[in-house]
Amino acid sequence: MSIVDINTPVPVPEAALIELSEDAKGKGRVRRYWSAMGWGTRLAAVWFSFIVLAAIFTTLLVVFGFEGASFIGLQDPDGLPFLVGSDAKPNEGPSLDNWLGTDNLGRDIFSRILHGSRISLTVSLTAAVFGMTFGLFLGCLAGFKRGKVETVIMSIVDVILAFPALILLLIMVIVLGRQTLSFISLTIGLLAIPPFTRVARANSLSVSNREYVMAARAIGTKPTKILFKEIIPNVAPSVFGYALVYAALIIAVEGALAFLGLSVQPPTATWGQMLNEARGDIKVTVVPALWPAGAFFFTILSLNTLGDFYRSMTAFRGSSL
């Protein structure tokens, strides 16, 4: 898993450089962000909101059953035609009964795409939050305390980062032989801590030299209070922007694991697994492979777009938004 270069200048959308009108300044934070977004960022926000709602809705269906969901065209993602009494055939095109067609076993692709979003988002958001929480604390601690504390923390981080993260992830999954959703999420989350630590440390070095931190030191404020009241809150926005971009990377990593058969096991629907299943019939029809590939593409693109937008807005407008 590669690391975003925090020293690379962040491109700033034109909307971010335009002063908001007096009308917009009275709006809520979400509406003010929306006012500053370009059309591309708005489309990214709409798509990501749709995927999040789909993941939540399908999670409820898994818990409470699929009865009553057919009115929106949603079917059991694992339901084979001969078991559910359907006339669907393998690799059929889009129709009123199957909005995106069927896969090589006759299962509804639309339902499997929505259920696959649950796996991708659960892994990416869990790992990103896990890495951000611990990485933010360790990075801020290293950048604020300096000295031996910084040397120990960053030495461990450098050792972990020196080993290819994807290879280490594959080894852990294969050797331990656990391919559950919780295990994969936590494993990727552990491997996410080092890059988040480096990002947080780089930002905390800058924050530690600002006037309000120097003033807090001068009046004898306890270092622990400065860390939690001044350093971490001011570093958190930039780390959160990085987390959005990193979540997109995790979706791609989970998809690669699923494609190799090392993620959540069948019959649970995942986008990577759908791609793997569709490649066997790709000479016959490419349609079943297009839908999960499109879901990957638009979800990763939307997270990168939203992450860049958030980083640019927090960098140039501070906490006013």
Side-chain angles (χ1 to χ4, degrees):
M1 289 182 282
S2 59
I3 302 173
V4 175
D5 186 1
I6 59 173
N7 296 316
T8 302
V10 179
V12 184
E14 293 183 6
L17 300 177
I18 300 175
E19 287 297 327
L20 296 177
S21 64
E22 292 299 321
D23 213 16
K25 290 180 180 179
K27 299 177 181 178
R29 177 173 294 189
V30 174
R31 295 184 63 189
R32 291 163 67 181
Y33 269 110
W34 183 264
S35 299
M37 286 180 178
W39 66 268
T41 308
R42 291 184 179 184
L43 288 177
V46 170
W47 172 262
F48 186 67
S49 299
F50 167 74
I51 290 297
V52 171
L53 290 175
I56 295 173
F57 182 64
T58 52
T59 300
L60 294 177
L61 290 181
V62 170
V63 175
F64 296 106
F66 294 89
E67 293 78 5
S70 58
F71 72 96
I72 60 169
L74 195 62
Q75 304 173 21
D76 185 345
D78 306 324
L80 298 172
F82 62 88
L83 292 178
V84 298
S86 172
D87 296 328
K89 297 180 180 178
N91 295 325
E92 280 189 329
S95 65
L96 292 177
D97 294 326
N98 305 104
W99 292 0
L100 301 182
T102 61
D103 64 5
N104 58 348
L105 294 178
R107 297 171 296 188
D108 183 58
I109 293 179
F110 176 67
S111 299
R112 292 181 66 77
I113 288 289
L114 294 187
H115 279 267
S117 67
R118 181 173 63 92
I119 303 300
S120 294
L121 285 185
T122 299
V123 172
S124 64
L125 296 183
T126 300
V129 169
F130 193 83
M132 181 176 66
T133 302
F134 290 94
L136 175 63
F137 172 74
L138 291 174
C140 289
L141 180 64
F144 175 64
K145 294 291 289 184
R146 307 297 298 271
K148 293 182 179 180
V149 173
E150 181 185 27
T151 300
V152 171
I153 293 176
M154 298 315 298
S155 296
I156 296 174
V157 166
D158 290 339
V159 168
I160 297 175
L161 290 176
F163 197 90
L166 183 57
I167 302 300
L168 183 59
L169 177 61
L170 289 173
I171 292 174
M172 293 178 70
V173 171
I174 294 172
V175 172
L176 296 179
R178 298 185 61 185
Q179 294 171 237
T180 62
L181 183 60
S182 57
F183 176 77
I184 292 173
S185 299
L186 291 178
T187 301
I188 298 178
L190 285 172
L191 295 178
I193 293 176
F196 276 99
T197 301
R198 294 192 68 174
V199 172
R201 171 184 170 272
N203 284 274
S204 64
L205 289 174
S206 173
V207 172
S208 297
N209 293 322
R210 292 183 180 174
E211 292 80 2
Y212 51 85
V213 176
M214 302 298 290
R217 290 177 185 268
I219 62 176
T221 305
K222 293 181 179 180
T224 304
K225 188 174 182 179
I226 296 176
L227 177 65
F228 285 98
K229 294 291 186 179
E230 305 293 349
I231 305 297
I232 292 179
N234 286 285
V235 172
S238 60
V239 175
F240 179 75
Y242 177 77
L244 290 174
V245 178
Y246 201 85
L249 175 63
I250 295 173
I251 288 178
V253 170
E254 189 280 329
L257 289 176
F259 186 84
L260 296 172
L262 297 175
S263 183
V264 180
Q265 292 300 290
T268 304
T270 65
W271 293 344
Q273 179 196 104
M274 291 176 68
L275 279 173
N276 187 28
E277 292 171 348
R279 70 187 178 92
D281 299 314
I282 202 166
K283 292 184 178 180
V284 178
T285 175
V286 72
V287 174
L290 288 179
W291 301 119
F296 269 126
F297 175 78
F298 288 112
T299 303
I300 291 173
L301 179 63
S302 66
L303 279 169
N304 277 287
T305 302
L306 292 173
D308 288 341
F309 173 77
Y310 182 82
R311 289 172 64 199
S312 66
M313 294 302 289
T314 53
F316 285 88
R317 291 193 179 277
S319 59
S320 62
L321 284 172

